[in-house]
Amino acid sequence: MIRVLDEARSVDFYARAFGLEVAQRLPFDGFTLLYLRNAEADFEVELTVNHGRTEPYALGDGYGHIAFVVDDLDAEHVRFTESGLNPQPVKEFNHDGALLAKFFFVTDPDGYKIEVLQKHGRYR
């Protein structure tokens, strides 16, 4: 679960970036829960919108993030760039002389860093 400030802005970002759509929207007194998913993967991202909140959330100094695995990282980087999502440059991470991961990060509207990984090795 991640907390977001602007429901429409966040739903638009996750739809454009990762093809996630609202599977369920549950309004409560004081907050709304949104469950986002797509047909390709069996997982959900939960967004929490606290009603009346006007200040951005403090993300803290811990380096936690979510990651999405894609079939063609370079094509996704081009798509993100053309969509105006401002991805960071593609990087490679090696371990013991072999490629461990190829990835880039993108920041969502609330400042959360999201890793996009090339399908490879343990990243499926």
Side-chain angles (χ1 to χ4, degrees), residues 94-107:
N94 294 292
H95 183 261
D96 290 335
L99 179 67
L100 177 64
K102 184 175 177 183
F103 61 93
F104 66 85
F105 278 87
V106 65
T107 304

Side-chain angles (χ1 to χ4, degrees), residues 101-122:
K102 184 175 177 183
F103 61 93
F104 66 85
F105 278 87
V106 65
T107 304
D108 87 348
D110 291 280
Y112 295 102
K113 303 283 186 204
I114 301 168
E115 185 176 14
V116 183
L117 286 154
Q118 174 66 49
K119 186 182 287 185
H120 170 80
R122 71 174 316 277

